Amino acid sequence: MFDIANLSISVILLLLRVAMVFLLYFFLWQVVRVVSRELQAGGAPSVAPAAPYGQLVVTSAGQTGIPVGKVFSLTPVTVIGRSTEVEVSLNDTFLSSEHARLELREAVWALEDLNSTNGTFLNGFEVRAATEVHDGDVVRVGRVELKLVAR
């Protein structure tokens, strides 16, 4: 004998299973789409509001977790270090609390090491005294490299 009630329940269960599989694959497709979009956009530097004195852009973050492309606006006297009270605060154990100073002197930037333990480097060379820094130069403090974008 033909039982319509069992057939209806079987069809409903089959449709629910198919819908569940469809929703699962749709969810996974959305996750892959979002992740791929984020990975593609991750390499692009973030756009920050124009800074009147210039910016420091992170080009290499070492193991600090700072995103590459992060922008720090400069002031006429910018101190870089691990302390939260400096203008450019970086979470790197290789930095001193006040590691280096970047100062604007008569339209020219000067970089100075503040007697840090691990030194300050400009384009790969150690800074021993106040040294001129130009647009595009790379400053390395600890394990972080910052590129100067002067205005």
Side-chain angles (χ1 to χ4, degrees):
M1 178 173 290
F2 184 69
D3 188 10
I4 192 84
N6 280 339
L7 180 64
S8 325
I9 292 175
S10 298
V11 170
I12 291 172
L13 288 176
L14 177 65
L15 290 175
L16 286 174
R17 287 179 185 160
V18 169
M20 187 65 159
V21 169
F22 173 76
L23 289 174
L24 177 66
Y25 278 109
F26 181 72
F27 173 76
L28 291 174
W29 177 69
Q30 291 290 348
V31 168
V32 168
R33 227 179 86 212
V34 168
V35 168
S36 65
R37 187 181 312 145
E38 289 295 322
L39 287 175
Q40 288 173 354
S46 60
V47 177
Y53 298 104
Q55 302 170 334
L56 286 174
V57 180
V58 176
T59 57
S60 175
Q63 299 172 347
T64 62
I66 300 168
V68 171
K70 180 171 175 63
V71 175
F72 294 97
S73 296
L74 295 175
T75 59
V77 178
T78 303
V79 178
I80 304 167
R82 192 174 64 219
S83 170
T84 57
E85 298 176 7
V86 297
E87 288 78 14
V88 178
S89 179
L90 304 169
N91 184 20
D92 187 352
T93 57
F94 281 71
L95 287 179
S96 300
S97 57
E98 291 186 357
H99 195 93
R101 177 176 34 242
L102 198 56
E103 187 174 349
L104 187 59
R105 300 177 182 169
E106 299 175 13
V108 176
W109 286 102
L111 178 66
E112 191 175 358
D113 184 70
L114 299 176
N115 298 320
S116 65
T117 305
N118 295 316
T120 301
F121 297 84
L122 177 63
N123 296 325
F125 296 99
E126 188 171 6
V127 174
R128 298 187 188 274
T131 307
E132 281 189 14
V133 183
H134 302 284
D135 187 35
D137 284 350
V138 176
V139 176
R140 181 167 58 86
V141 290
R143 294 176 279 193
V144 179
E145 291 183 356
L146 305 159
K147 181 178 179 181
L148 177 68
V149 180
R151 296 276 178 226

